[in-house]
Amino acid sequence: MNTTLSKEQIQFYTDNGYIVIDNFLTPEELATWREAVTEAVAERNGLKIPGKSISINDDDGINKEADYFNNVFDQLLNLWQTNEKVKKLMLDERIGKMIAELSGVDGVRIWHDQALIKRPWANPTSWHLDTPFWSFSDRRAMSIWVALDDATLENGCLFFIPGSHKTTTFENPGIGKNMGEIFTTYPEFKQSKSVAAPMKAGSCSFHCGLTIHGAHANMTPGFRRAMTCAYMPDGNTFNGTPNILPDAYVQSLKPGDLLNNNEQNPLIYSR
């Protein structure tokens, strides 16, 4: 993997809240990632989140307007918990080191992975933030987004609003039918210029969980597959939002408790 970050790349991420890494995976590594994700998705048989009886076509209680959202993409989370091949990929210390270098943290825990499979003719993904959905509140949290197919302007590549991560908060209107609903919460970005992030398969991006981002509709008869993973800086505490945490674990937590359960959120890198 192309895991070496230059000072210029780290500064670009600091300034803009995202960075694209071209040719992150070799062709052989891309084949391995595709095989692992395909196998893990098939094993799930539609189960969206381990520990929760929710299928990919059900209302997950996280995203609004389930009928619309279910035609945005098939979303399966925490595949690392149910497939050893994906676990090896998502818990890779080299990715953890990149997260630490970009975000300036000392320790990195996995939050959750997501296979995001945008089907032919799928709806767009409205502008949104990530971190406000999660069970902790940290401005440094981020995700990696790995293109398993070419992500193009036609099939649903990502778009970012550069620098938005500097002033957004943990308020979030969610992800619904209205592409621009987030600007009711953050009107200061309504006139901002967005930047497209098309990527060849095997390339990736990193983005801060407080960077406003979205994706085009898929205007093609083909799939746009991506494998993503969110990472949490070590030392974070429970904010009361269940998100993807198993029900039994949530019942054992109270706001302010450390999220340091190594079964649920293993530490993958420490300086």
Side-chain angles (χ1 to χ4, degrees):
M1 289 192 298
N2 177 16
T3 61
T4 301
L5 292 167
S6 68
K7 291 181 179 178
E8 291 76 17
Q9 287 175 311
I10 295 170
Q11 188 61 52
F12 183 93
Y13 176 86
T14 300
D15 293 341
N16 294 283
Y18 77 95
I19 181 93
V20 173
I21 308 294
D22 293 323
N23 303 312
F24 175 65
L25 302 177
T26 66
E28 294 76 18
E29 288 169 335
L30 174 59
T32 297
W33 279 61
R34 284 173 167 168
E35 177 186 355
V37 172
T38 300
E39 178 184 288
V41 168
E43 288 172 350
R44 280 289 187 83
N45 196 29
L47 180 68
K48 189 167 185 175
I49 307 172
K52 296 179 182 285
S53 56
I54 303 168
S55 81
I56 57 174
N57 294 314
D58 293 338
D59 184 348
D60 60 10
I62 298 172
N63 300 295
K64 299 192 302 182
E65 297 165 334
D67 287 347
Y68 178 89
F69 193 80
N70 286 334
N71 196 43
V72 172
F73 42 53
D74 291 347
Q75 179 188 33
L76 295 103
L77 296 93
N78 275 343
L79 294 170
W80 77 267
Q81 294 181 338
T82 54
N83 183 276
E84 286 297 318
K85 293 177 183 177
V86 173
K87 181 177 181 179
K88 183 178 180 181
L89 301 177
M90 297 300 100
L91 273 63
D92 192 317
E93 183 181 25
R94 294 173 294 175
I95 294 177
K97 184 174 185 288
M98 295 178 80
I99 296 286
E101 289 175 340
L102 289 168
S103 62
V105 304
D106 291 329
V108 176
R109 291 182 181 271
I110 187 171
W111 180 243
H112 68 67
D113 66 32
Q114 296 183 90
L116 300 177
I117 303 168
K118 195 174 272 289
R119 291 183 171 273
W121 318 117
N123 292 331
T125 311
S126 61
W127 291 108
H128 66 282
L129 305 174
D130 292 339
T131 312
F133 288 108
W134 299 338
S135 306
F136 64 98
S137 302
D138 192 312
R139 301 195 66 86
R140 302 165 299 174
M142 71 169 69
S143 295
I144 185 174
W145 195 101
V146 181
L148 300 182
D149 300 307
D150 290 350
T152 68
L153 293 173
E154 293 79 19
N155 74 1
C157 72
L158 289 172
F159 283 74
F160 299 101
I161 295 186
S164 53
H165 67 302
K166 295 179 180 179
T167 56
T168 53
T169 68
F170 298 104
E171 293 184 65
N172 195 25
I175 304 176
K177 296 179 183 178
N178 183 353
M179 278 295 293
E181 187 174 1
I182 196 156
F183 301 118
T184 62
T185 304
Y186 302 103
E188 64 270 32
F189 293 109
K190 193 170 185 178
Q191 301 302 318
S192 296
K193 181 176 174 57
S194 65
V195 175
M199 285 178 251
K200 288 289 188 181
S203 295
C204 79
S205 63
F206 292 88
H207 68 266
C208 174
L210 291 175
T211 300
I212 300 175
H213 61 289
H216 265 175
N218 186 354
M219 304 297 284
T220 77
F223 285 81
R224 188 231 66 188
R225 298 171 296 169
M227 188 61 197
T228 78
C229 194
Y231 293 94
M232 172 178 68
D234 189 29
N236 266 283
T237 59
F238 183 53
N239 64 12
T241 302
N243 192 234
I244 50 79
L245 297 177
D247 295 340
Y249 182 35
V250 170
Q251 290 168 12
S252 74
L253 292 170
K254 63 181 183 300
D257 285 349
L258 272 175
L259 292 171
N260 60 356
N261 184 316
N262 284 315
E263 293 298 315
Q264 181 68 32
N265 305 113
L267 185 69
I268 69 164
Y269 178 78
S270 182
R271 290 185 193 267

